[in-house]
């Protein structure tokens, strides 16, 4: 069975600047390499789902510019349905500048552009009916996410919220969320409970449940991912690899996860392991979209579990 996935999210042209280390305040450093590629959390998640053979639709917004056409074409190249992307004449396509150090860690500066200009008039939700999952993040306005999640519930579509970048969540969005997937920093910000060990992860999941969110996955970087549903709770260790670039690792995880997840979440452990394997491949490559693996690559990968 092929999952049908809609992604409401950001479309950014990414410029990656490679540096030996991150600069100190007021310091000037030389850039050893400069690359430009399609990206944005929404685009990354959609491509990850599509490359894992999910039937994927994108809902979003670009400017009427060359960058916007580049983003649309990048999605089309991976078979993503782009018919629900609005072209905005008032603002430029979103972009991101990524500082990447020699250890593969990054710092990212984002210009929201058209992503932040989505309104009720430009948000096209006509294709939600019939989808299995709707994914969104916070690189597009939360009111758009709220409208989309309301429509998803009306259409019987399960919702996945990636609360990144971390912000306070609109209270109305919480009971409309079927699965929340933060990293440890985002989870702690939202619950007030620092993520340090398995007990604190379970406490975070319990806090989310009180907020009205029944299912939780907390990603903790190179350590792995914690998952909690009504019937399954556990921790999936990360695969042991040498990371070159962590850009899009979390997005790859979410898109790959959604491509495999059953509607009753009964296979949460297997889907989490698949998503972890996908992310382990992404971090061994450079760039956002270019680093995301296909289903065949994920299945054939033979990484050692930590």
């Amino acid at each position: 069975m092929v999952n049908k996935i809609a992604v409401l999210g950001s479309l950014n042209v990414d410029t990656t600047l490679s540096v030996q280390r991150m600069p100190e305040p007021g310091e000037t450093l030389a850039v050893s390499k400069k690359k430009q590629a399609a990206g944005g959390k929404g685009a990354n998640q959609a491509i990850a789902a599509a490359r894992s053979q999910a039937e994927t639709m994108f809902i979003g917004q670009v400017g009427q510019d060359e960058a916007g056409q580049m983003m649309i074409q990048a999605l089309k190249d991976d078979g993503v349905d782009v018919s629900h992307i609005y072209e905005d004449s008032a603002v430029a396509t979103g972009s991101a500048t990524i500082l990447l150090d020699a250890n593969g860690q990054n710092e990212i500066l984002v210009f929201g552009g058209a992503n932040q200009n989505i309104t009720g008039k430009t948000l096209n939700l006509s294709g939600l009916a019939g989808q299995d999952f709707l994914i969104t993040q916070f690189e597009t306005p939360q009111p758009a996410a709220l409208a989309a999640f309301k429509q998803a519930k009306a259409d019987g579509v399960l919702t996945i919220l990636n609360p990144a970048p971390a912000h306070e969540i609109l209270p109305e969005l919480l009971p409309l969320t079927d699965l929340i997937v933060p990293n440890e920093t985002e989870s702690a910000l939202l619950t007030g409970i620092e993520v340090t060990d398995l007990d604190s992860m379970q406490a975070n999941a319990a806090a989310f449940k009180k907020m009205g969110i029944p299912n939780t996955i907390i990603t903790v970087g190179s350590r792995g991912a914690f998952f909690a549903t009504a019937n399954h709770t556990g921790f999936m260790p990360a695969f042991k690899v040498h990371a070159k670039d962590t850009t899009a690792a979390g997005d790859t995880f979410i898109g790959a996860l959604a491509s495999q997840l059953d509607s009753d979440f009964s296979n949460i452990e297997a889907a989490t392991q698949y998503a972890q394997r996908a992310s382990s491949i992404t971090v061994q490559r450079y760039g956002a979209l270019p680093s995301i693996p296909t289903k065949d690559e994920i299945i054939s990968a033979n990484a050692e579990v930590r």
Side-chain angles (χ1 to χ4, degrees):
M1 178 179 172
V2 175
N3 277 359
K4 295 182 178 180
I5 298 171
V7 178
L8 164 61
S10 55
L11 296 163
N12 293 330
V13 175
D14 290 346
T15 300
T16 301
L17 306 176
S18 297
V19 294
Q20 185 63 30
R21 59 176 175 79
M22 296 301 171
E24 299 294 335
E27 183 181 19
T28 300
L29 290 180
V31 173
S32 61
K33 190 182 298 181
K34 178 180 178 180
K35 289 186 177 180
Q36 193 172 71
K41 295 188 69 62
N44 296 339
Q45 291 171 9
I47 293 297
R51 290 184 184 170
S52 280
Q53 299 180 9
E55 188 176 314
T56 309
M57 178 184 80
F58 199 91
I59 304 166
Q61 197 156 304
V62 295
Q64 289 185 353
D65 49 29
E66 186 176 340
Q69 293 307 305
M70 171 186 169
M71 292 304 309
I72 289 173
Q73 189 59 51
L75 293 173
K76 290 171 73 173
D77 288 345
D78 273 283
V80 176
D81 177 358
V82 298
S83 61
H84 295 77
I85 296 176
Y86 179 77
E87 295 184 34
D88 190 342
S89 61
V91 66
T93 297
S95 62
T97 300
I98 302 164
L99 292 181
L100 176 67
D101 72 15
N103 295 317
Q105 295 302 308
N106 60 48
E107 293 184 0
I108 304 174
L109 302 172
V110 177
F111 166 66
N115 297 311
Q116 289 298 318
N117 219 31
I118 295 175
T119 68
K121 292 182 179 179
T122 63
L123 183 64
N124 186 346
L125 302 175
S126 61
L128 276 183
Q131 302 295 316
D132 295 305
F133 294 98
L134 168 65
I135 304 169
T136 197
Q137 334 76 32
F138 289 161
E139 285 187 345
T140 49
Q142 283 197 47
L146 180 59
F149 273 26
K150 284 181 177 178
Q151 187 62 52
K153 293 290 98 180
D155 290 336
V157 178
L158 293 167
T159 55
I160 299 175
L161 177 63
N162 173 218
H167 296 290
E168 289 186 11
I169 301 179
L170 289 174
E172 309 96 304
L173 194 58
L174 301 174
L176 299 174
T177 300
D178 292 300
L179 170 64
I180 191 166
V181 190
N183 63 25
E184 69 266 47
T185 302
E186 294 152 358
S187 189
L189 180 66
L190 296 171
T191 66
I193 303 169
E194 186 179 359
V195 176
T196 56
D197 55 16
L198 189 58
D199 286 344
S200 63
M201 294 176 198
Q202 291 172 335
N204 271 261
F208 284 128
K209 196 166 186 178
K210 286 183 180 179
M211 296 177 192
I213 304 173
N215 306 290
T216 298
I217 294 177
I218 303 171
T219 59
V220 287
S222 62
R223 287 185 288 160
F226 168 82
F227 56 88
T229 69
N231 301 311
H232 297 82
T233 299
F235 187 83
M236 180 63 60
F239 290 87
K240 187 177 181 180
V241 298
H242 175 66
K244 296 179 180 178
D245 181 359
T246 57
T247 306
D251 298 329
T252 297
F253 180 95
I254 291 168
L257 176 88
S259 76
Q260 304 300 303
L261 199 57
D262 290 341
S263 59
D264 60 359
F265 297 95
S266 60
N267 71 333
I268 188 77
E269 185 170 359
T272 300
Q273 184 178 48
Y274 178 90
Q276 286 280 52
R277 189 181 292 273
S279 291
S280 76
I281 297 171
T282 293
V283 300
Q284 295 178 76
R285 301 170 175 175
Y286 291 106
L289 262 61
S291 70
I292 298 171
T294 64
K295 185 173 185 177
D296 288 345
E297 288 175 318
I298 297 166
I299 291 174
S300 64
N302 187 25
E304 177 185 352
V305 178
R306 288 186 184 275

